[in-house]
Structure formats: C-alpha cells, structure tokens
Amino acid sequence: MRILALDTTLSACSVALLADSKVAGCSSDNIERGHAEALLPMVMRVCAQAGMSLADVDRIAVTVGPGTFVGIRVGVAAARAFSLALDIPVTAITTLDALAATVERETAHQPVAAVIDARNEQFYAQLFAADRHPLTPPQILQTGALVTLIADTKASLTGPGAPALATAIAAHSSGQPKIAPALTPDPRVIAQLAEKRHGQRAEMIRPLYLRPPDAKLPDARTPRIIA
Amino acid sequence: MTSAGSVEQRYTLLGIETSCDETAAAIVRGHPDGAREILSNVVLSQLDAHRPYGGVVPEIAARAHVEQLDGIIATAMEEADLDWNALDAVAATAGPGLIAGVMVGLVTGKAIAAARNLPLLAVNHLEGHALSPRLSADVAFPYLLLLVSGGHCQLLLVRGVGRYERLGTTLDDAIGEAFDKTAKMLDLPYPGGPSVEAAARVGDASRFALPRPMVGRDNCDFSFSGLKTAVLHTIGKLDKLTDRDAADIAAAFQLAVCDVLVDRTARAMRLFHAVHAEKPPQLVIAGGVAANRAIAAALSGLCAEMGFAQTVPPLHLCTDNGAMIAWAGVERFALGLSDPLDVAPRARWPLTQLQG
C-alpha cells in the first residue's frame, strides 16, 4: 500500500510517501506561512523523489488539527480533493497524536503530553499513557488547568508548546518535566500511523479546531418584515 | 482576432468559487464555433449560517467551505455526467476575497489539477464577473462593465481577456454593504439587498431628503458611507422608527443609490465614447446587486438615453458562482495561459494587475 501523508497544521509544511511500509519520499520545511503555496509543489517533488505519480497513491493520511485554523484547512482541503479526484480513502490523524508518535523512541515506556500553544494562556493538549493509550481527549485548556492535569503523571512533554508549558510547570512545583523536542510531527510517522488504521470517506475527514470561530452575535432583535 | 466567446479548440473546465459565502463549482465547455455550454452549476449558499451575525463571518465561511466544497464538486461532475478524463483544466478563484475561503478553493483546485495531471488556472474573481456576459450572450470586446455586489462597486472598461481599465471604484463601502448596513439600521432582515428593496417598494421616496455622494464629480468613483450616515441621522430625528418610516427611508436610500449609479455610469459612458468612438457602445451590469429591479430600471433608462446596448447576465450568473470562474478559465486557457501550483491566494487583487 502506498500512503501519501500531509501535515500543514503547525509552522512546517511536510509531506511523506510510504510504499509497502518503506519511506519512498519525504520533505519538510519550517515555512511558518504560505502553506497554500508550498504544499502542492512539495507533494509533486516527493512523488518524483519516489519515482511515482499521484495516481499510484492508495490512501491519503492527513493531520486534521489542532493547530492554526488556516493551516488545518490547507491540509484537509488538499486531502479531500485528492480523495475525490483519485477515488481513494483518507485517514485523519490528530496533530497531537502525530506529535506523540513522533517522539515514540525518546519517550518509550513513559507517559507523554503533546502540547501546542493556543495563545491567550491556553494550550491544545492531549495526555497519552506509556503504551500510548490516550488518557484524555484532545482538548484546549488554560495553562493552570493543564499544569494540574499533568502534575503527578511524570509525563514527558512534546510539541511546540512544550518549552512554555515546562516553564509554567516549574513555576508551580519543584519538578522540571522532561522535554522530548518535536516542533512538528514527522510526516513519515503520520503515514505509519495511518497504515495501522482504517481509511475513511472524505466527508468524514473534518478539521479538529477545538475552538469556535471568533464571532460575536449582535443583540437579538426581531427584524421587521415589510412587504 | 476571434469572435465573441470563440476558442480554438473545445475546452471543458471545472470552475471553483469560494471567495465569499457561496461554495460553488461548475463545469463549462467552450466550443471552437464560439458556442458555450454550462454543463452544471452548483451553488451552496451559506446565508443561513451568517444571518444571525448580520453579515458574513470569514472564519465561519472558511469552515463551511472546507466541509462542503468536495461534495459540491462531486455533484457538479455528476450533473455534467462527466468523467475526470473529460476535463481539460481546473479553474479556481485565487482572489480577491475573504482569504481563508479563497485558500480552501484554490488548494482544492490545485490538488485536483495535480491528481489528474491537468493545468491550473488561478482566476481573479472580478475577471469572472467581468467575462460572465460572454458566457450567457454574444458580447464582443470592448464593453463598459458596472460591477455591483456585496464586496465591490466598480466601473471597468473591458478591452479583452486580462485587459481591464478601472474607471472608478468605491472609496469606502461596497454597494451591497451599504444595503446591508442600511437594513441593519432600519431593523430589516439580512441580507439587506432584498429586504431594503421590498421595503422601498411600499415607501415614499420623497418624504426624506438624502444626499447623492460623488454626483457631479469629475471621475467615476463611488462613496456610500456618507449616505449611510445620513440614514442614521434621519432615523435619529424620529421618536420611534415605525414600519412606515422604515419603508420611506428605504425608498429614499434606494433612490439616492440609483441616482448615484446613473450619474457615475453616465460619466463612464462618455469616457467609453471618447476612447472607442468607432465601437458599438455596450454596458454590462454584473454582480448580485444587478438583481435590484429599481437599479436595473434606472440603468435601462440611462442606456436608452445614451444609446448603449445593455446586457445583464441571468441572475444565477450575476451572483457568485462557479460557472463564471470556469468560463474565465476557458477564455484564459484558450489564450495559452495557465498558472503554477505554487500560485498564492490573494485577499486584494485589482483587475488592473492582471496579465492578458
């Protein structure tokens, strides 16, 4: 099976192509912005590197968030369009799941908390047990609540929010949590995770924003109808 | 020199539009003899999602686009009864518009183009509107275009594909925005275009005097913020805004808008004559506000007076749609144009920056 993995949810733009469990092509650039420009040319380069065309791909793997709203949509839109035009299934992987899997080797037999800075003193976070069984759902938490959640778990921290959270934890207790550095998920790992899971129809692949749109409802007034 | 709408070879394009609050996809085919067919034209309006906010919320629009667009494209392909192999290229709106939504449509278009090994056309949304009359009728270049919509109010001289001269534009609000804001002040429902028009139909336009911003100025620009402020002051002088008052103010507002459009368009018509004295003069009205009957009647009167032929594409091609994007793609593709996969979405993209 050939799996094309995409990640544009954080600062990097990343693509990997897995063919029969072997990495056939991979590229990752920490571009911070411009994912809508960078993604498709990168996909074409990775396919060329693997000596394949998109028509050879059997499944798409994509990170669906949490992350930047714009970045999440670039990946999900591309994945759903590939699914439609190539008639192949998609496997959705959360960014937090992908981050935890990326540091699997460094954190073997330890619980891991994958964290992404969500601004406004909040983090997107998920806690995984030593066997990578999720202990919490992916969620958005205030820094204080997350520090409390992680306090006694001895979890290693990973993800782009790890250094900031480690500082917050150190300020609350004497312990200094271990950091397994990963600014971005490894796209090869995303493809490998997808290989173990099922593919789904494209309409099942929905962004995981974890935060509602920033829009305020105006004062409720019943509009007059003149006709 | 090709005749109106003609292309050298038959081209079938998918067109994708996501620059505001319509998720849209269409299949359009252009034939060598100049004939063109809309094989499908699917538009999903997000009106209900935005209505509670009294306007389009960009993040809500983008979230809806990404969950709906692939299904809309699938429906467009089914309704056209086409296989992917029947497509010659993919056209997607690359701007101007709400950037988060533009990005969803453009990335989707790029991914389909890459997957099916097809050329990509990154279409300017305004060019989609500008060329739309050539999709529904035999309209030859050059022509004068009045683009009136929720996001725009412009007068353009359309000389050819990619060859536009902007004669005037709004200095502040788009015309549709002015209708929405006026509706809000009058407690009329969103969207303001239809609700202000309905109220105006039963109102007395002469009861309140409202200004005609820019009328008589030596250019073709528009301004609507002063008119909006005048509406606010008029309401402020009333003890209580009754249905009668709301209808009368709506009528006065709509009449003021008509007068402004007629004055500005008349000036543009004289400029058209000065530049293209030898060409048959034509005015095309595009954009969703073309649906307003009072405005259409006022402009018809002006065309008759100035000796201009008038073309208004059918309403479903005036409001945002994928067919006009596919058609702009056909016209550009027929000229040998296409765009690379790294083309950037653009929030702002004046037509004058286009290459023909």
Side-chain angles (χ1 to χ4, degrees):
Chain A
M1 183 164 66
R2 280 160 293 217
I3 300 178
L4 178 71
L6 318 171
D7 172 53
T8 54
T9 57
L10 299 171
S11 63
C13 180
S14 308
V15 175
L17 188 53
L18 205 65
D20 302 321
S21 306
K22 292 194 187 72
V23 177
C26 180
S27 181
S28 182
D29 245 336
N30 190 24
I31 57 173
E32 289 188 15
R33 46 178 49 228
H35 297 78
E37 292 94 307
L39 180 61
L40 270 299
M42 186 179 278
V43 166
M44 301 314 270
R45 281 199 305 277
V46 167
C47 285
Q49 188 187 343
M52 290 180 207
S53 84
L54 277 167
D56 299 322
V57 172
D58 300 304
R59 201 200 293 173
I60 304 294
V62 66
T63 45
V64 294
T68 68
F69 295 169
V70 163
I72 290 170
R73 280 189 291 265
V74 167
V76 171
R80 290 179 64 149
F82 284 143
S83 172
L84 176 67
L86 299 168
D87 196 20
I88 54 175
V90 185
T91 301
I93 308 283
T94 73
T95 310
L96 297 165
D97 212 351
L99 282 167
T102 295
V103 295
E104 179 109 47
R105 222 166 288 159
E106 302 95 295
T107 61
H109 315 299
Q110 295 164 40
V112 171
V115 291
I116 300 165
D117 192 339
R119 300 216 176 101
N120 305 325
E121 293 179 30
Q122 292 178 314
F123 287 90
Y124 301 118
Q126 189 171 16
L127 190 57
F128 299 88
D131 65 356
R132 289 299 177 270
H133 180 81
L135 295 172
T136 68
Q139 54 193 326
I140 183 164
L141 289 170
Q142 293 292 333
T143 306
L146 182 57
V147 167
T148 308
L149 178 75
I150 292 176
D152 300 320
T153 63
K154 299 205 165 59
S156 295
L157 309 184
T158 193
L165 183 63
T167 306
I169 290 174
H172 276 75
S173 64
S174 52
Q176 180 75 38
K178 229 177 91 184
I179 293 179
L183 276 177
T184 196
D186 184 329
R188 295 167 293 189
V189 170
I190 296 167
Q192 284 155 357
L193 279 177
E195 199 173 32
K196 293 177 224 151
R197 301 182 191 179
H198 293 294
Q200 290 182 296
R201 294 159 55 87
E203 64 262 32
M204 305 298 289
I205 308 304
R206 308 184 62 199
L208 180 70
Y209 299 108
L210 293 181
R211 187 184 258 168
D214 185 16
K216 282 201 181 68
L217 280 169
D219 301 337
R221 276 195 294 187
T222 313
R224 71 178 81 228
I225 307 293
I226 302 175
Chain B
M1 195 66 198
T2 54
S3 67
S6 87
V7 287
E8 296 300 314
Q9 187 193 322
R10 188 179 92 167
Y11 295 123
T12 308
L13 267 74
L14 164 67
I16 296 169
E17 159 60 34
T18 56
S19 68
C20 193
D21 60 342
E22 264 100 20
T23 312
I27 314 291
V28 169
R29 180 173 281 167
H31 293 271
D33 63 357
R36 58 259 142 182
E37 293 169 83
I38 298 175
L39 301 181
S40 64
N41 190 16
V42 185
V43 181
L44 180 74
S45 170
Q46 303 174 0
L47 198 54
D48 290 338
H50 300 285
R51 200 190 307 275
Y53 299 91
V56 177
V57 182
E59 177 63 20
I60 291 177
R63 289 185 179 199
H65 287 310
V66 78
E67 300 217 11
Q68 304 289 352
L69 180 58
D70 56 349
I72 296 293
I73 294 169
T75 305
M77 292 294 288
E78 275 163 35
E79 287 185 8
D81 198 18
L82 285 188
D83 181 65
W84 291 106
N85 295 324
L87 291 182
D88 294 297
V90 177
T93 298
L98 302 175
I99 191 71
V102 170
M103 225 179 263
V104 168
L106 183 57
V107 167
T108 298
K110 286 179 179 183
I112 292 173
R116 303 306 312 186
N117 202 16
L118 294 169
L120 171 77
L121 290 117
V123 170
N124 181 301
H125 176 82
L126 300 173
E127 182 165 48
H129 280 299
L131 298 176
S132 65
R134 292 163 54 81
L135 173 58
S136 55
D138 291 320
V139 177
F141 299 120
Y143 51 87
L144 185 63
L145 175 77
L146 173 64
L147 175 57
V148 278
S149 70
H152 306 280
C153 189
Q154 303 193 354
L155 278 158
L156 293 155
L157 184 53
V158 181
R159 298 178 194 271
V161 176
R163 296 173 59 216
Y164 310 94
E165 187 182 333
R166 195 169 76 186
L167 303 178
T169 187
T170 180
L171 305 177
D172 37 61
D173 294 342
I175 186 164
E177 237 178 318
F179 271 89
D180 283 341
K181 288 175 178 174
T182 296
K184 210 173 214 174
M185 289 188 280
L186 296 175
D187 292 333
L188 294 169
Y190 174 84
S195 68
V196 169
E197 184 180 6
R201 210 171 290 140
V202 295
D204 172 7
S206 66
R207 183 172 150 216
F208 299 104
L210 293 177
R212 268 66 174 157
M214 307 302 284
V215 163
R217 292 280 184 94
D218 190 20
N219 58 39
C220 299
D221 288 333
F222 300 87
S223 166
F224 295 104
S225 70
L227 185 53
K228 179 185 69 188
T229 308
V231 168
L232 188 65
H233 285 305
T234 304
I235 295 169
K237 286 182 203 149
L238 301 168
D239 292 334
K240 181 181 172 294
L241 186 70
T242 65
D243 284 2
R244 173 86 259 151
D245 299 332
D248 292 346
I249 293 171
F253 166 82
Q254 186 171 271
L255 182 62
V257 168
C258 286
D259 287 352
V260 169
L261 287 176
V262 164
D263 178 83
R264 307 285 73 201
T265 307
R267 189 162 292 270
M269 285 171 161
R270 287 192 282 274
L271 284 175
F272 183 95
H273 268 311
V275 181
H276 294 292
E278 79 291 0
K279 302 279 187 186
Q282 312 177 76
L283 174 70
V284 170
I285 308 166
V289 180
N292 182 294
R293 283 179 213 164
I295 289 172
L299 292 167
S300 289
L302 175 69
C303 282
E305 187 186 319
M306 301 286 286
F308 269 65
Q310 186 187 16
T311 301
V312 185
L315 186 61
H316 67 276
L317 297 180
C318 269
T319 50
D320 288 351
N321 65 88
M324 70 178 191
I325 302 305
W327 176 249
V330 169
E331 295 240 52
R332 292 182 72 79
F333 193 54
L335 294 175
L337 300 169
S338 68
D339 296 283
L341 287 176
D342 67 351
V343 66
R346 297 171 70 170
R348 289 178 53 79
W349 186 8
L351 268 183
T352 43
Q353 289 179 11
L354 273 186
Q355 297 293 310

